[in-house]
Amino acid sequence: MTADDLVIRKAEKADADAVFALAREFGLTFRPERDAFDEALPILLHDEDTLLITAVVDGRVQGYLLGNVHLTLFANGPVAWVEEAMVQTGSRRQGIGRALLEEFEKWARSRNARYVGMATRRAPEFYHALGYEASATFFRKVLR
């Protein structure tokens, strides 16, 4: 794959099957369910404070990133948060993740975000190489 083969674009409803398949690769506490995914996708696609982008190579979605911008009090304005970023297993280490994150950063800057943050334990070398630094411990409580 060359850089010319990669297209980063906003996700479309037609990308649903490919994005759902990628979301299932997370394999964490939650297992994506198709009904919930299909209910959330159109809302996310139309939310002005949310960006859902795909990485397309040769007409096939190879990755996606979902993030949003929200106001804060402590940062003197909005911040951007990456909720999900996934590149298909066989397509990693080809610049797809970098391209997705750079496009999200561009969008975040256009929204005057003070920083981009995310919670992840995966691929710390990747994030460090892009200028990210460890900042906090992530706590969560699953609500049932």
Side-chain angles (χ1 to χ4, degrees), residues 9-30:
R9 62 164 170 77
K10 284 190 173 185
E12 303 166 352
K13 190 170 181 166
D15 297 325
D17 290 342
V19 172
F20 181 72
L22 287 166
R24 291 180 61 93
E25 285 192 38
F26 274 102
L28 300 173
T29 304
F30 298 99

Side-chain angles (χ1 to χ4, degrees), residues 24-124:
R24 291 180 61 93
E25 285 192 38
F26 274 102
L28 300 173
T29 304
F30 298 99
R31 188 79 175 145
E33 297 173 4
R34 190 57 193 250
D35 289 344
F37 177 91
D38 288 340
E39 186 176 323
L41 183 63
I43 296 167
L44 293 170
L45 291 175
H46 291 98
D47 184 339
E48 292 181 10
D49 293 327
T50 299
L51 183 65
L52 177 56
I53 52 178
T54 57
V56 181
V57 179
D58 296 328
R60 295 188 40 187
V61 174
Q62 300 293 309
Y64 79 94
L65 185 146
L66 170 65
N68 57 52
V69 170
H70 63 273
L71 280 174
T72 65
L73 298 173
F74 78 96
N76 302 311
V79 299
W81 192 259
V82 174
E83 284 294 332
E84 302 171 25
M86 177 60 71
V87 174
Q88 189 172 27
T89 302
S91 299
R92 294 182 184 149
R93 298 193 178 274
Q94 298 178 28
I96 293 172
R98 174 184 293 270
L100 285 165
L101 204 48
E102 288 174 349
E103 184 65 23
F104 182 74
E105 290 172 4
K106 190 166 82 174
W107 177 79
R109 279 189 196 91
S110 77
R111 303 294 306 269
N112 297 314
R114 308 292 284 186
Y115 68 81
V116 172
M118 69 198 76
T120 184
R121 289 188 305 247
R122 296 178 177 187

